[in-house]
Amino acid sequence: MKVSNKVFVVTGGGAGIGRDLVLTLLSSGASVAAVDINKIALEETLELSGGNQDKLSTHVVDITDRHGVESLPEDVIAYHGAVDAIINNAGIIQPFVKINDLDYEKIKLVMDINFYGTLYMTKTFLPYLLKRPFAHITNVSSMGGFLPVPGQSIYGASKAAVKLFTEGLHSELKDTNVKVTIVFPGGVGTNILENSGVDNLKITDESQNQKYKVLTPREAAEIIINGIEKDKFRVLPGKDSKMMDLFYRFNPKRAANVIANKLNLQ
Ligand SMILES: NC(=O)c1ccc[n+]([C@@H]2O[C@H](COP(=O)([O-])OP(=O)(O)OC[C@H]3O[C@@H](n4cnc5c(N)ncnc54)[C@H](O)[C@@H]3O)[C@@H](O)[C@H]2O)c1
């Protein structure tokens, strides 16, 4: 779906990839409703939008609050007149600990934001999208949604749920006007650790970490928007994601071991 002159809803629009999705969409001629739990972060995104401020509305909503999400279409349509596309990007990681050491509260939060937030947004907006001539749903999973990362097993499970949910949606909607894209980013240079309240990442070999060049959020956003414009089924931002996608399908156990050996979980 061409993004110019369309109305997008982007979750997590206050920071990282979401902010750059908002700003890139605006500069590509789209209008955007940016959703985030963080009001100050949304205000910063609005400031950064410069000359496009009138095409951007901001909505402070916690996507785990189903009723809050259900009030969004009315607010978005009141401002923009319609809604053509949603990008479910908001997400958090878990503390880098083994499942044995992860409490249920954290597990529930990760599932609530990453999976249920995406589900609430999709079910809320789908009836509106089905009425548009062209419409699009993009869900952001992760390389960790197809490849096991020790210390991120619940994060991975939440992103694997997003993967299968989205792939199923793609099949269910294939004969409709609503196109569906699933995104599996590799490493992207954002503040997701701090924003998720995580401070215990320990990489065994620091030099490996330094050698590992990650995408900027702007690069990731551009790759995602390019995928939307082409109605791609799968988008894999980053060489790491593309490479591990092939490796995992070729030999899942070896791919899992390579990652496990890189991360020496304490
Ligand atoms: N950064 C990476 O390396 C990477 C890799 C793979 C996948 N991803 C995925 O990409 C997406 C964006 O990640 P990012 O790195 O830009 O993260 P980020 O922390 O920079 O931004 C996430 C934004 O989501 C918002 N958010 C969090 N919980 C929310 C909630 N309950 N309701 C509404 N908004 C909420 C945050 O306030 C923040 O502004 C996430 O789904 C993440 O899992 C990121």
Side-chain angles (χ1 to χ4, degrees), residues 142-239:
S142 169
M143 178 168 84
F146 61 75
L147 176 74
V149 177
Q152 288 296 322
S153 299
I154 296 299
Y155 172 77
S158 73
K159 292 296 189 176
V162 170
K163 171 186 185 289
L164 259 297
F165 165 63
T166 309
E167 289 171 353
L169 202 61
H170 180 276
S171 300
E172 290 180 13
L173 295 172
K174 74 180 171 48
D175 298 324
T176 75
N177 55 315
V178 185
K179 303 303 165 206
V180 179
T181 297
I182 177 77
V183 183
F184 303 104
V188 183
T190 70
N191 293 329
I192 193 166
L193 266 87
E194 295 90 310
N195 294 341
S196 307
V198 172
D199 57 6
N200 66 335
L201 175 60
K202 303 250 188 304
I203 306 273
T204 344
D205 179 357
E206 282 298 330
S207 62
Q208 284 290 347
N209 197 22
Q210 279 152 20
K211 262 190 262 162
Y212 179 52
K213 191 187 167 308
V214 297
L215 290 179
T216 64
R218 178 55 61 105
E219 287 168 332
E222 284 170 358
I223 292 167
I224 294 168
I225 292 167
N226 185 43
I228 294 173
E229 290 237 315
K230 293 181 177 150
D231 290 332
K232 279 200 177 167
F233 175 40
R234 308 170 88 225
V235 174
L236 295 129
K239 284 187 192 144

Side-chain angles (χ1 to χ4, degrees), residues 1-9 25-26 28-33 55 80 82-85 132-136 229:
M1 187 188 78
K2 292 290 164 210
V3 304
S4 179
N5 296 318
K6 303 293 195 313
V7 179
F8 277 74
V9 181
L25 283 168
L26 287 171
S28 308
S31 297
V32 184
K55 292 200 297 175
H80 296 279
V83 55
D84 303 295
R132 300 297 292 164
F134 303 99
H136 204 109
E229 290 237 315

